[in-house]
Amino acid sequence: MTPLSSFNPPPRHSQPPLGRRLWALTLALVATVGLWFSASAPAAATGVYDMPTFDPQTWVLDRADLFSRLTKGSLEKSLRDVAQSTGSEVRFVTFRRLDYGETIDSFAQELFETWFPEAEDQANQVLMVFDAVTNDAAIEVGSSAQATLTADIATSVAQETLLVPIRDGNYNEAFIAAKDRLAVVLAGEPDPGPPVVVSKISVESTFKKAEETDRNGSTILVVVLLILATVIPMVTYFAYVR
């Protein structure tokens, strides 16, 4: 009799070792967490060294992206007109988040001295800076401009005329109002004063703010991902060894 030929089953596709599969799974989860953190990370901090060199044609440096193109163009035209009619040059700078240890006042002073290093360069300059994260503003005024724009008025422009509308989220209105008041004062006309603050009666809401909801949801997501990164490899391992 002819012997039966031996039957050799087709080779199975080899599986990667369990440790390698667990390690790949863990890396995938960790990468997911890392991507989430990078997507939700705050904007990079700003220092004077991040500002461009002074350009006489720049009247509004909007690093915080607060203004539409139309609003920015209108502000720039108005500030050019102020410079031509009064001899004082007003510039607005917006940004998001200061470097650690920096204050809005120290930033304004340092940028003012960087852009206008000599006393004669500073004389007719007015520089107002605004941090869109903290809603803080500061203003620097040159010696000649101080003849009409006194320290008290300048502080009022930065802390009242600008910030009162911003409390309601009206950034365009705030900077237009600040520009208008500065133009009047620098022209030697009577100061119109800060805006009238109308008190609003508000009923305390029991609902969470959007920021609180986002923060709580983000924390829960991170915790769940970290738990999964720990539990899934363990469950897979025990299921394999059984």
Side-chain angles (χ1 to χ4, degrees):
M1 296 180 61
T2 304
L4 295 175
S5 59
S6 59
F7 174 75
N8 294 322
R12 297 181 180 179
H13 295 289
S14 59
Q15 296 288 336
L18 176 62
R20 186 180 301 173
R21 296 202 303 273
L22 294 178
W23 179 245
L25 178 61
T26 302
L27 286 179
L29 289 171
V30 171
T32 301
V33 174
L35 287 174
W36 180 85
F37 270 119
S38 62
S40 60
T46 300
V48 172
Y49 52 82
D50 294 309
M51 294 292 107
T53 55
F54 175 67
D55 182 356
Q57 301 306 315
T58 298
W59 301 94
V60 178
L61 182 60
D62 185 24
R63 287 292 185 89
D65 294 326
L66 299 180
F67 310 129
S68 65
R69 182 177 299 179
L70 181 62
T71 298
K72 182 180 178 182
S74 176
L75 282 173
E76 290 177 330
K77 181 181 183 305
S78 297
L79 294 179
R80 282 195 298 269
D81 292 342
V82 170
Q84 292 175 359
S85 61
T86 69
S88 295
E89 299 183 358
V90 180
R91 288 178 170 83
F92 295 148
V93 175
T94 74
F95 55 89
R96 294 184 181 275
R97 217 167 143 259
L98 284 171
D99 276 344
Y100 178 78
E102 189 86 80
T103 67
I104 191 70
D105 293 310
S106 65
F107 176 84
Q109 181 180 1
E110 190 175 352
L111 182 60
F112 188 76
E113 294 174 352
T114 300
W115 277 2
F116 316 110
E118 303 297 333
E120 56 269 25
D121 299 330
Q122 300 175 1
N124 293 310
Q125 299 294 333
V126 178
L127 175 66
M128 187 158 66
V129 302
F130 176 72
D131 183 348
V133 170
T134 60
N135 282 351
D136 283 338
I139 190 169
E140 290 287 326
V141 183
S143 57
S144 296
Q146 290 177 15
T148 53
L149 183 58
T150 64
D152 288 341
I153 296 176
T155 300
S156 177
V157 172
Q159 299 300 321
E160 296 177 292
T161 305
L162 184 71
L163 295 189
V164 168
I166 284 176
R167 291 169 190 163
D168 296 325
N170 299 323
Y171 293 98
N172 291 348
E173 176 186 329
F175 280 88
I176 291 173
K179 176 263 301 179
D180 289 343
R181 186 178 175 190
L182 288 171
V184 169
V185 173
L186 290 170
E189 301 177 15
D191 176 24
V196 177
V197 179
V198 179
S199 60
K200 298 180 181 179
I201 301 175
S202 60
V203 179
E204 185 177 355
S205 174
T206 57
F207 296 98
K208 293 182 179 180
K209 296 180 180 180
E211 295 83 357
E212 296 174 349
T213 303
D214 292 342
R215 190 180 302 113
N216 292 339
S218 300
T219 302
I220 293 172
L221 176 61
V222 173
V223 171
V224 169
L225 289 174
L226 291 176
I227 291 174
L228 290 175
T230 304
V231 172
I232 290 178
M234 294 176 60
V235 172
T236 305
Y237 173 76
F238 285 115
Y240 181 85
V241 297
R242 290 183 60 188

